[in-house]
Amino acid sequence: MAQDHLAASSPLPEHARLAAFAGEWTGEEVVFPSRWTEGGPATSHVVARMDLNGFYLIQDGVQMREGKQVFATHGIFTYDRDDRTYKLFWYDSLGYTPPSPASGGWVGKTLTLVRGSLRGNARHVYEIIDDNSYSLKIQFSPDAEGWSDVLTGVYRRIH
């Protein structure tokens, strides 16, 4: 009998750890002045779910400033069994296609993911505060050494 090559293996505990970010969230953010936007306060609405047999966290976010949508994101998080790192495939309304996913791992309650492109390097730092809140810091660096904040935020679960 032929082996079923489409049969999925089970998610690992590393995949399940991403479920900490699943749910519906509201965020208070600070956007720092950059070549992409003016600085200032913003709010975000984030919806994330574990999907595709528990292997992926799929996250969609909408950022509002002065009552208008100014930015949207689509993130796909997973754990790569081969290189034993977490991956973040990030797409946003700026329209750049990343050449590769961000990659990284957990230290305690903090998940740090870094990716590089011809435009520079981005670092996403997610920290679990408690079961109902987390923080995010997105940073940019031209050389992956000196990091500048692009966005900081604290997100609270909507029940």
Side-chain angles (χ1 to χ4, degrees):
M1 183 166 170
Q3 189 176 19
D4 184 358
H5 293 285
L6 295 178
S9 56
S10 297
L12 299 173
E14 288 86 353
H15 292 103
R17 191 164 186 191
L18 293 168
F21 301 111
E24 187 173 4
W25 307 84
T26 185
E28 297 293 325
E29 299 174 331
V30 174
V31 178
F32 291 83
S34 70
R35 60 182 171 175
W36 301 285
T37 187
E38 295 179 16
T43 59
S44 279
H45 181 248
V46 178
V47 177
R49 70 188 188 282
M50 293 301 294
D51 208 340
L52 302 172
N53 295 328
F55 288 102
Y56 299 91
L57 174 77
I58 300 173
Q59 179 191 71
D60 291 298
V62 173
Q63 184 185 78
M64 305 289 288
R65 294 178 77 180
E66 298 177 4
K68 296 179 184 170
Q69 179 180 324
V70 295
F71 192 60
T73 63
H74 181 73
I76 303 170
F77 299 72
T78 193
Y79 178 74
D80 187 327
R81 302 167 195 260
D82 294 333
D83 71 5
R84 296 186 175 147
T85 61
Y86 285 86
K87 303 290 184 192
L88 168 57
F89 298 83
W90 180 266
Y91 305 93
D92 60 41
S93 57
L94 294 178
Y96 296 111
T97 302
S100 60
S103 185
W106 289 91
V107 174
K109 293 183 173 189
T110 303
L111 174 61
T112 303
L113 301 148
V114 179
R115 78 171 179 279
S117 75
L118 296 176
R119 291 178 311 284
N121 301 280
R123 178 166 66 183
H124 295 231
V125 182
Y126 295 83
E127 183 176 1
I128 296 172
I129 298 168
D130 57 39
D131 289 346
N132 294 305
S133 58
Y134 70 91
S135 66
L136 168 61
K137 184 185 320 183
I138 299 178
Q139 299 175 308
F140 175 80
S141 171
D143 58 10
E145 291 184 17
W147 294 95
S148 299
D149 289 343
V150 174
L151 177 140
T152 60
V154 175
Y155 306 83
R156 289 178 175 69
R157 188 181 301 279
I158 298 171
H159 292 284

